[in-house]
Amino acid sequence: MADRNWGMNFTVHAEEQFFDTVDDPLFHSEDRSLIYEALQEKLRPIQFGDYLMRYIYEKAGRTDPFAEVPLSFYQQVIAENFTLTGTPVSFGESKLPVRTMAKNWLTQHTVSRQVVLLLGFGLRMTPEEVNEFLTKALHEHRLSPKDPLEVVCRFCYQHKLPYARFLQLCQENSRLTPGVSAAPSERTVLLEGIVRGMQSEQELKNYLRDLIAGGAVRTQGATARAHFNELYARAQELTARYYNAMASEDLDVKVERLRDALEHSDRFFAEQKRELVGRMQQQSRSRDAASIGPADMEKLLCASIPVRKDGNYLPIKESRLYRQFEGKRFHRKHIHEIFAGRALVTRFDLITMNFYCSALDLNPEQKIIARYGEFVRSTNALLNDSSMGSLYLANPYECFVLMCMLSEDPLGTYADVWELSYEEAQPETEA
């Protein structure tokens, strides 16, 4: 569990640590050390249970120190409210008593999406409160206007309908036939507005009929996937450009070395020397965007992570920042799974890919603070359009990426901090 002595103001605490780090006079010369120190000592991950306790604490109107409230209080509040509202602890069958489940939820690092939906009923949350749990505590997308179950959940939260009525609506809507017209748009943000404006159960039924007719149910995560595809294509172009620039610089060095060697050689005539230099200059082979794959991007993002004998990078569990970065390291296997349809695009995929593109496409004439602002705006646009909520400093990985964007060399700093986390984790060996 996170250190509750930090208090309940997770965002304020994270903002203080962020600005303490990037405003340090030594930041531009010692960015990797300062960022690593902040991540290791001051920016710990916030567990789901901490968000849940904060919510209950605030709703209960308590004024005693947050860190001193016993776990039993939160268990009791959840148990009483679930009993009062007739909300079960699972959408399926469960023999565990509510107090036991409540303790699990209050002490777990994360929970399933279904648990948050149930808490919405049990604690009589508003749609906005449920969305905050989904985006900030689970790092997932908001209530989906393309998922019939979540559409019904949202309708019930908004109109303060109990779980029993939710079950009745689900049963009634399971017998619906597709409508004549499809949903007006498959774009998530537009559908969200329609769902938000529904005032009657008949409007709910009509919407679900159109949703089924339009096939939008089958396109869950389509907006995030579309943004990811655009970012990936841009990353291919920028990576190819980067490789070509590096290859050109390497070739220039080789050509100069050959010229120097030939200049002091009597074995060749002047014409032969020019021919040899010309042949070397023609060796340059440009990479095109189509030839760039996830492994090329991984090579740059993970440039400083130690490699095992089998050629694979050390697992993230061997990093001192494992808890902060778990599930967020760029991995070529995960990218292949996205393209194969076996994995959904996460908020961290969008954040990392946008960071990668921004870091490779730096304008040397642009001021760092302007570059940072541009990155924040573009990333928030991607996340909000994908129903995932804006960048959140209380999440250590997101805070880390933003710190890197304020350094002189964002991609280099990103790699350096990863490297330091593995160096710190390696056991000391005797000389």
Side-chain angles (χ1 to χ4, degrees):
M1 180 161 303
D3 187 350
R4 288 174 61 198
N5 290 317
W6 286 353
M8 52 189 285
N9 297 316
F10 307 143
T11 304
V12 172
H13 172 79
E15 287 177 349
E16 289 175 352
Q17 303 310 317
F18 174 81
F19 287 110
D20 283 349
T21 301
V22 299
D23 289 340
D24 190 298
L26 298 176
F27 181 72
H28 290 298
S29 60
E30 298 182 16
D31 47 21
R32 89 167 194 157
S33 299
L34 291 171
I35 292 174
Y36 177 77
E37 180 184 353
L39 289 167
Q40 181 66 21
E41 300 179 8
K42 304 168 186 174
L43 291 167
R44 301 299 180 87
I46 302 168
Q47 298 197 36
F48 176 82
D50 295 309
Y51 284 100
L52 183 54
M53 284 188 280
R54 181 179 67 172
Y55 175 81
I56 295 172
Y57 178 94
E58 292 178 332
K59 286 294 181 178
R62 295 194 66 137
T63 57
D64 48 336
F66 177 60
E68 296 177 9
V69 179
L71 186 67
S72 58
F73 165 74
Y74 300 105
Q75 279 183 274
Q76 185 65 27
V77 170
I78 294 173
E80 289 179 354
N81 277 272
F82 268 61
T83 301
L84 184 63
T85 59
T87 305
V89 296
S90 171
F91 282 113
E93 294 184 4
S94 177
K95 296 181 180 179
L96 292 176
V98 65
R99 282 187 63 87
T100 300
M101 291 302 295
K103 183 177 181 180
N104 289 341
W105 299 336
L106 290 163
T107 56
Q108 287 178 338
H109 176 68
T110 189
V111 297
S112 69
R113 190 174 179 89
Q114 286 70 32
V115 168
V116 173
L117 298 181
L118 288 168
L119 284 167
F121 285 104
L123 299 181
R124 288 169 284 193
M125 295 182 184
T126 65
E128 292 71 26
E129 289 170 337
V130 172
N131 280 331
E132 184 164 345
F133 268 92
L134 291 173
T135 57
K136 292 186 177 180
L138 296 192
H139 315 303
E140 295 185 6
H141 59 80
R142 296 191 293 268
L143 288 164
S144 173
K146 299 177 182 179
D147 183 326
L149 183 143
E150 294 194 12
V151 171
V152 178
C153 281
R154 193 193 196 290
F155 183 85
C156 291
Y157 301 147
Q158 184 169 336
H159 297 283
K160 298 179 172 55
L161 301 178
Y163 185 81
R165 185 55 187 150
F166 160 77
L167 285 181
Q168 293 172 350
L169 287 171
C170 286
Q171 291 171 355
E172 293 171 11
N173 294 327
S174 67
R175 298 189 291 269
L176 291 177
T177 56
V180 177
S181 62
S185 172
E186 287 193 2
R187 286 190 65 78
T188 302
V189 290
L190 296 180
L191 292 179
E192 282 180 341
I194 296 172
V195 173
R196 191 181 306 115
M198 291 190 303
Q199 297 301 317
S200 69
E201 292 183 4
Q202 187 58 50
E203 287 181 279
L204 172 66
K205 292 178 181 179
N206 292 340
Y207 176 86
L208 292 174
R209 284 195 183 100
D210 292 344
L211 190 67
I212 297 170
V217 175
R218 296 189 295 275
T219 60
Q220 179 65 37
T223 303
R225 176 60 188 272
H227 284 311
F228 181 83
N229 289 346
E230 293 171 1
L231 287 169
Y232 184 80
R234 184 183 172 209
Q236 285 181 297
E237 295 176 358
L238 292 170
T239 306
R241 188 177 75 183
Y242 174 83
Y243 278 153
N244 292 335
M246 293 299 100
S248 178
E249 289 181 10
D250 290 343
L251 183 60
D252 288 344
V253 172
K254 291 179 181 179
V255 169
E256 287 304 311
R257 288 176 178 171
L258 178 60
R259 283 200 177 106
D260 288 341
L262 292 175
E263 185 177 342
H264 298 89
S265 174
D266 297 327
R267 296 175 56 198
F268 304 98
F269 295 113
E271 183 61 32
Q272 290 175 312
K273 292 179 180 180
R274 284 193 293 272
E275 183 178 345
L276 288 170
V277 171
R279 286 179 185 174
M280 178 170 283
Q281 290 174 327
Q282 293 174 2
Q283 291 177 6
S284 176
R285 288 182 293 179
S286 297
R287 297 280 302 271
D288 60 6
S291 71
I292 300 297
D296 296 296
M297 300 173 197
E298 182 183 54
K299 185 177 180 180
L300 294 181
L301 279 165
C302 304
S304 300
I305 295 177
V307 178
R308 299 185 304 195
K309 292 181 180 180
D310 61 5
N312 292 317
Y313 296 103
L314 287 180
I316 192 172
K317 287 186 177 181
E318 295 189 31
S319 164
R320 285 285 295 276
L321 295 176
Y322 168 65
R323 290 182 59 216
Q324 290 87 334
F325 291 170
E326 181 183 6
K328 302 168 184 66
R329 193 178 88 182
F330 186 93
H331 199 294
R332 61 183 182 273
K333 180 181 178 182
H334 174 62
I335 305 304
H336 285 304
E337 288 177 342
I338 288 176
F339 286 123
R342 294 191 297 270
L344 292 174
V345 173
T346 69
R347 69 182 284 111
F348 301 110
D349 294 325
L350 294 178
I351 291 169
T352 302
M353 287 300 292
N354 198 40
F355 167 77
Y356 179 79
C357 291
S358 300
L360 280 183
D361 197 25
L362 295 182
N363 177 0
E365 302 300 322
Q366 186 180 36
K367 292 184 178 180
I368 291 178
I369 192 64
R371 172 226 293 168
Y372 170 83
E374 187 176 297
F375 172 75
V376 170
R377 285 190 294 274
S378 65
T379 305
N380 282 340
L382 292 168
L383 293 173
N384 286 318
D385 196 42
S386 302
S387 297
M388 293 178 176
S390 300
L391 285 163
Y392 187 42
L393 275 177
N395 183 285
Y397 181 77
E398 296 179 39
C399 190
F400 162 56
V401 168
L402 290 173
M403 287 178 179
C404 289
M405 284 305 301
L406 284 169
S407 67
E408 296 284 350
D409 176 16
L411 195 59
T413 302
Y414 182 95
D416 286 346
V417 173
W418 273 104
E419 178 184 32
L420 189 56
S421 77
Y422 280 93
E423 288 178 354
E424 289 281 326
Q426 298 306 305
E428 294 184 6
T429 57
E430 296 182 2

